[in-house]
Amino acid sequence: MTVHEMKHAASDSARLEAVGGRLSRVDGPAKITGAAHYAFEQRLEGLTHAVLVGATIAAGKVTAIDTRAAETAPGVLAVLTPDTIMALKTASDWFGTPPPDRPYCPLAREVTFSGQHVAAVVAETFEQAVAAAALVKVWYDETPAIVDLSDGNAGDGIAIDAMTKEWGDAEAAFAEAPVRVCAAYNTPREFQVAMEPHGLIARWQGDQLTIWEPSQWLDGMARTYAEWFGIPFENVRLVSPYIGGGFGSKALALAHSAVAAAAARMLGRPVKLVLTRPQNFTSYGGRAATRQTVAIGADRQGKIQSIVHRGVNETAVDGMWVEPLGSVTSIMYATPNFSSKQNVVRVNTVVPGAKRAPGENPSAFGIECAIDELAYELGLDPLEIRLINYAERDPHAKKAWSTRQLREAFATGAEAFGWAKRSREPRSMRDGHQLVGWGVAAGTYPVRRAYGEAMVKLLSDGSAEVESSSIDMGQGTYTILAQTAAETLGVPVEKVSVKLGDSRLARAGVTGGSRLAGVMTGAVYKAAGQALDELIGLALSDPRSPFHGLQANTLVVKDGRIASPRGDGPELSVAELMGMLGCEKIEAKGDTVPASFTREQRYNNYTTIAMALPHTEGDYSRHSWCAHFVEVRVDEDFGTVRVSRVVSALDSGRLYNPKLAESQWKGGIIMGIGQALLEEGIVDRRHGRIVNGNLADYMLPTNADIPDIQTISVGIPDPHSSALGGKGVGELGIVGVAPAIANAVFHATGKRVRDLPITLEKLI
Amino acid sequence: MRDFAYLRADSVEAARNAAALPGAMLLAGGTTLVDLAKCGVAEPATVVDISHIEGLDAIDVSAERAVIGALARMSHVADHPQVKSHFPAVSEALWQAASAQLRNMATIGGNLMQRTRCPYFRDPQNFPACNKRAPGSGCSAIGGVTRGHAVLGVSEACIATYPGDLAIALVAFDAEADLGDRKLKVEDFFLAPGATAEREHDIRPGEVITAIEIPGSAAARRSTYLKVRDRQSYEFAAASAAVGLELEGDGRTIRDIRVALGGVATKPWRARAVEEALKGKPLDEEIVRKASELAMEGAVDHGANHYKIALAPRVIARAILKLGETA
Ligand SMILES: Cc1cc2nc3c(=O)[nH]c(=O)nc-3n(C[C@H](O)[C@H](O)[C@H](O)COP(=O)(O)OP(=O)(O)OC[C@H]3O[C@@H](n4cnc5c(N)ncnc54)[C@H](O)[C@@H]3O)c2cc1C
Ligand code: SF4
């Protein structure tokens, strides 16, 4: 693959509209003025409201449900229980694994976690539904729950052999290494906490189902609905033009989605169901709690001889989630001997899910703290030890990196931060009562690739439309696709409108794993190129065209005007030309899907993740990279930690829009600050229940907690990663932030905190 | 639907009459009442809206005293120039409380009446046992998640922390609450749980707080409110201290000192032992730190809140020493 040179690529990226230009979000004005309508804002005739009843135990059986009081409450249309909700079919999982042939009931008879939906009330108004839901009485036969990883009955869990990565003889080499560190690193259950809660509006018209639901994956979710109800995929329409944040949580249709869609079918009326904030902590999974031990053996010069890594993450009693804890461990540093193994432990929780950089994030916390510990053990600078062990190629896949600007990230970040002025000793820098510490850590995220499709239309007024069922949850899809189309077509960016978030549009796979920008810019580039070729073909061949008979085999379009490349002959606007041609519009659906794909494979390409391309496919290993430099201030009396400065240098390859990439990086860094210092789902161990499932008690950083953050791009176009040379942006920023902060806290205080979050009682 | 009657009172008299109705609750800024109604903790039969009563939001401050109407907004009081100069701890306590949006809505009267943040108290669906909500039902917190719970003034019935900030400053400076027919010390207005956790305030049916009065003093003029918490803003205190200081003419010897604690006790907690230990003593770091430890006499922890016993004295000491530095 080669990087497709955009016409203005190098010289003109100062132009806002060009790919690489700092165009502001094109969806911004609609959001600021309220013109953007989110899923729950649809006004539908005859809309009804559903409210869920959650289990108050973490494990056991529902023995009886008394719905009489609720049924006779004012406005109530239906009370659904496992016995009365319509039967659904089990849907395939996100790999497309054919489902077992058994019914699916989204309301639980067997309770496996606290808060699990056991009943639902549908009423004319929301208030009536809330009041009636409180009248539903549920009896349980409670059995002991395993509340978390440290539960005495949790056990060692299940070995996930697919996660094992080994070369050399790691244990022996570690035992023989002259310098050794070994420690355990823990991260708690964390939640995505998107501002917009989960929920949906479902409407049936005959056998046609329309769902308004915030979604990171319209096609995948549409498939699930179709399979639940046994209707054709085409009969399901998902609408999700705007999303108030997802962070990995909004890619799947969930139990509450099924309840609403089933209720709508049963009642023959549209149903709206929005999870309460506490239900957003129990209706779908956040990041699984993790435990890792990292052992590193090195020679006296600091060269790593061996890394032995063991990881555990929690999963649900009735669902499997593997948070790949060895993902960063196995590629960050060169080592002749390596071993990583992972278990998962079933506990009574909702099945954990994806939260920004699943796997890489906790993995980096382990290895990037451990390497810092090794640096102190050896008396080396934490930056130096990273350079001594720099991996020149992927140590696990044994392949060349496609691009790896990590050395540049270290150098550029260190320079901008002033790392050279750091004093080596812990507890050696202070400002009044504040102990000051500087820490560094690296991060990485694989380049996930997939095939994409897009529709591009050139209209008779010279404007253009881009259509895709992909989505924009704030990352900037609307904007970069407008930029890509504008530049490819040669029309001004304000003449390009982008339609997203409707499953009737050109298909798209999941928006997750930082893949969307690379996939979709490639597809739009291709479709727009086809549209342009068609226009030029017509212009040269149609007798009505002023270019007809011109001795040229192509034409150029720039700023919405078309002319011959030599400048001879006419020059006119695209609109004028289309008028002369009598052409209403030119439509081109372009895709990057291999021509050999069958219909089935194409369907699976958009509705499962099974067709994604491995990041180590072919000759290269493809990843984004970053280095975070952090300053913290720890109050010597109170133990409170505040981050006072962050400088991060990041390699995401070529940036399609640096302004939006910087925002995403900063968003990730802010989330990392929350993870390091504040975030933790706190479980009451007697009840297996999260007790801080609300925005007042689940701590997220406020503006006052966030210092000035400087991000610096050190990426170069990566021809092996995407059509236009970009790598991943969205998840990279968070990876490595928590260990950088933990390392800075050690430098400030001399105290190593290996359990996140680093709250004041751990330092006091 | 949970229906309730809504009455708008246009005078204190009308409010008092309405407040005497069974199941009546006053509505001022609504930031506590609506919140608790949503959690299913407050289920008023009648909501008496007092927010339109004229004149009840007056703020009248001189060096001698501050009289703050019950309907004055937290943000207005925090920003009031005379409050800032004569009672800085009051202003600082207010602007470090809640968020800007809440401070713009919430009133001083409502602030005194805010309820504990104990998560068990706020979740009746999942945790029916709570002596504060349902007397005699037990305490779900004891044996559970107690990181935010109190270490001072606790009983076997309840260990819930008094969460507010303003009242800590009021207690430090001997403020009084005006209930119309009677006035009482804010310190006495708040009740420790004892065996009656449900009684948090000495207020009777039909009573309305009309104003807060704070006597002026040299210590109030040289005062501060220090709040320590996990995040920098929008969080209740892990531990806080309202401190006022008056020095002798030598600029070193403590003539008068006021210390009250927040975030660690079941009610706004005046630390008289610390005050007594420091009166007449020089303002010296060692002495101050040692005396501050006395605040924790009788402290009882429940595991996860143990850190508060170490933290609170350090907060007091820092606040006193900080005041010492300001001339
Ligand atoms: C998310 C969140 C964070 C917060 N953080 C903090 C914080 O950090 N520090 C802090 O101090 N506070 C904090 N608060 C509490 C906030 O300060 C109170 O909610 C507010 O002061 C209540 O005032 P209000 O006027 O809105 O009261 P309302 O909600 O109107 O009333 C509260 C109660 O007081 C009664 N009441 C009101 N006025 C009177 C009166 N005049 N006489 C008698 N009874 C009356 C009502 O009947 C009701 O029971 C926070 C609140 C929230 C929701
Ligand atoms: S501490 Fe008090 S408020 Fe909390 S559960 Fe126990 S009795 Fe209720």
Side-chain angles (χ1 to χ4, degrees), chain A residues 94-212:
Chain A
W94 60 337
F95 298 100
T97 320
D101 182 21
R102 58 159 190 252
Y104 166 60
C105 183
L107 298 172
R109 284 193 180 85
E110 300 278 339
V111 174
T112 58
F113 59 93
S114 182
Q116 192 169 12
H117 319 310
V118 294
V121 175
V122 191
E124 293 286 353
T125 70
F126 172 67
E127 290 77 9
Q128 289 169 333
V130 171
L135 300 175
V136 175
K137 286 198 79 170
V138 185
W139 283 269
Y140 302 96
D141 183 3
E142 192 174 359
T143 49
I146 295 170
V147 298
D148 58 21
L149 288 174
S150 53
D151 194 300
N153 296 320
D156 294 336
I158 310 155
I160 307 293
D161 294 337
M163 291 288 118
T164 301
K165 295 172 179 171
E166 286 187 301
W167 61 88
D169 186 346
E171 310 247 6
F174 175 71
E176 284 161 19
V179 183
R180 284 176 294 181
V181 293
C182 178
Y185 304 90
N186 304 334
T187 68
R189 212 174 278 178
E190 296 154 6
F191 296 88
Q192 299 91 349
V193 207
M195 210 58 194
E196 176 196 41
H198 277 241
L200 68 155
I201 296 175
R203 180 181 69 189
W204 288 88
Q205 289 165 311
D207 256 358
Q208 305 280 327
L209 173 62
T210 306
I211 302 277
W212 290 266

Side-chain angles (χ1 to χ4, degrees), chain A residues 635 642 684 686 700 761, chain B residues 120 140 147 230-232:
Chain A
D635 191 289
R642 301 288 184 256
D684 181 310
R686 302 161 304 173
L700 295 165
E761 67 265 45
Chain B
Y120 301 96
S140 289
R147 181 171 188 259
D230 292 300
R231 69 181 172 195
Q232 187 66 23

Side-chain angles (χ1 to χ4, degrees), chain A residues 263-280:
Chain A
R265 174 131 237 193
M266 292 168 72
L267 288 169
R269 288 178 63 181
V271 171
K272 174 169 170 173
L273 187 158
V274 180
L275 297 181
T276 63
R277 185 56 67 180
Q279 285 171 346
N280 274 277

Side-chain angles (χ1 to χ4, degrees), chain B residues 141-221:
Chain B
I142 295 174
V145 175
T146 55
R147 181 171 188 259
H149 284 81
V151 292
L152 291 168
V154 298
S155 71
E156 274 168 28
C158 179
I159 58 169
T161 302
Y162 170 75
D165 294 300
L166 169 67
I168 312 307
L170 297 181
V171 160
F173 302 106
D174 298 319
E176 289 185 321
D178 190 343
L179 298 175
D181 290 343
R182 59 187 184 119
K183 281 187 188 178
L184 73 170
K185 282 262 178 72
V186 170
E187 192 178 358
D188 301 328
F189 178 72
F190 289 98
L191 307 172
T196 52
E198 72 283 4
R199 287 204 68 219
E200 278 178 10
H201 309 105
D202 181 359
I203 191 166
R204 302 168 195 151
E207 281 187 327
V208 174
I209 305 169
T210 55
I212 297 296
E213 286 186 33
I214 323 169
S217 63
R221 258 190 308 284

Side-chain angles (χ1 to χ4, degrees), chain B residues 116 118 120-121 130-132 139-141 149 157-160:
Chain B
T116 182
C118 169
Y120 301 96
F121 170 77
C130 169
N131 289 324
K132 203 178 262 311
C139 170
S140 289
H149 284 81
C158 179
I159 58 169

Side-chain angles (χ1 to χ4, degrees), chain B residues 23-182:
Chain B
M25 293 186 98
L26 303 183
L27 176 79
T31 61
T32 285
L33 185 61
V34 175
D35 180 34
L36 291 178
K38 281 191 189 172
C39 301
V41 174
E43 293 190 325
T46 303
V47 170
V48 183
D49 183 352
I50 59 169
S51 66
H52 298 271
I53 300 176
E54 278 189 33
L56 218 56
D57 60 352
I59 306 171
D60 182 10
V61 189
S62 66
E64 284 70 47
R65 69 178 47 249
V67 182
I68 301 170
L71 286 182
R73 307 276 171 186
M74 286 170 74
S75 53
H76 288 167
V77 181
D79 271 354
H80 196 280
Q82 248 76 42
V83 173
K84 283 185 180 166
S85 56
H86 296 302
F87 303 92
V90 171
S91 167
E92 291 171 20
L94 283 167
W95 72 251
Q96 290 177 78
S99 67
Q101 294 89 332
L102 286 160
R103 294 194 295 269
N104 285 338
M105 286 296 291
T107 66
I108 297 302
N111 186 287
L112 291 192
M113 298 291 290
Q114 68 179 285
R115 310 294 304 272
T116 182
R117 300 297 302 192
C118 169
Y120 301 96
F121 170 77
R122 292 171 56 82
D123 188 355
Q125 282 266 312
N126 286 293
F127 303 105
C130 169
N131 289 324
K132 203 178 262 311
R133 225 177 35 222
S137 61
C139 170
S140 289
I142 295 174
V145 175
T146 55
R147 181 171 188 259
H149 284 81
V151 292
L152 291 168
V154 298
S155 71
E156 274 168 28
C158 179
I159 58 169
T161 302
Y162 170 75
D165 294 300
L166 169 67
I168 312 307
L170 297 181
V171 160
F173 302 106
D174 298 319
E176 289 185 321
D178 190 343
L179 298 175
D181 290 343
R182 59 187 184 119

Side-chain angles (χ1 to χ4, degrees), chain A residues 265-409:
Chain A
R265 174 131 237 193
M266 292 168 72
L267 288 169
R269 288 178 63 181
V271 171
K272 174 169 170 173
L273 187 158
V274 180
L275 297 181
T276 63
R277 185 56 67 180
Q279 285 171 346
N280 274 277
F281 287 79
T282 54
S283 302
Y284 54 93
R287 195 193 302 286
T290 73
R291 307 262 182 277
Q292 298 176 75
T293 53
V294 186
I296 312 182
D299 67 19
R300 299 210 184 276
Q301 286 66 50
K303 199 126 187 88
I304 295 174
Q305 302 302 311
S306 179
I307 300 175
V308 183
H309 172 254
R310 299 291 176 258
V312 177
N313 74 266
E314 62 178 5
T315 189
V317 168
D318 65 349
M320 181 51 84
W321 176 262
V322 180
E323 181 93 14
L325 295 170
S327 52
V328 176
T329 331
S330 60
I331 62 166
M332 191 56 89
Y333 300 108
T335 172
N337 300 286
F338 182 86
S339 167
S340 173
K341 291 185 183 173
Q342 183 168 345
N343 281 17
V344 299
V345 172
R346 293 196 190 276
V347 307
N348 287 92
T349 172
V350 61
V351 58
K355 178 178 176 182
R356 212 168 197 163
E360 279 72 18
N361 176 312
S363 180
F365 179 63
I367 184 67
E368 286 300 294
C369 286
I371 192 94
D372 200 72
E373 302 207 32
L374 181 65
Y376 282 97
E377 193 66 31
L378 285 156
L380 286 174
D381 182 282
L383 195 53
E384 202 180 335
I385 193 154
R386 287 172 165 83
L387 294 171
I388 291 174
N389 294 290
Y390 195 84
E392 300 293 349
R393 60 203 289 261
D394 182 334
H396 175 230
K398 316 265 186 268
K399 291 183 182 180
W401 305 114
S402 57
T403 49
R404 195 197 206 215
Q405 296 285 99
L406 183 57
R407 214 190 294 276
E408 291 71 10

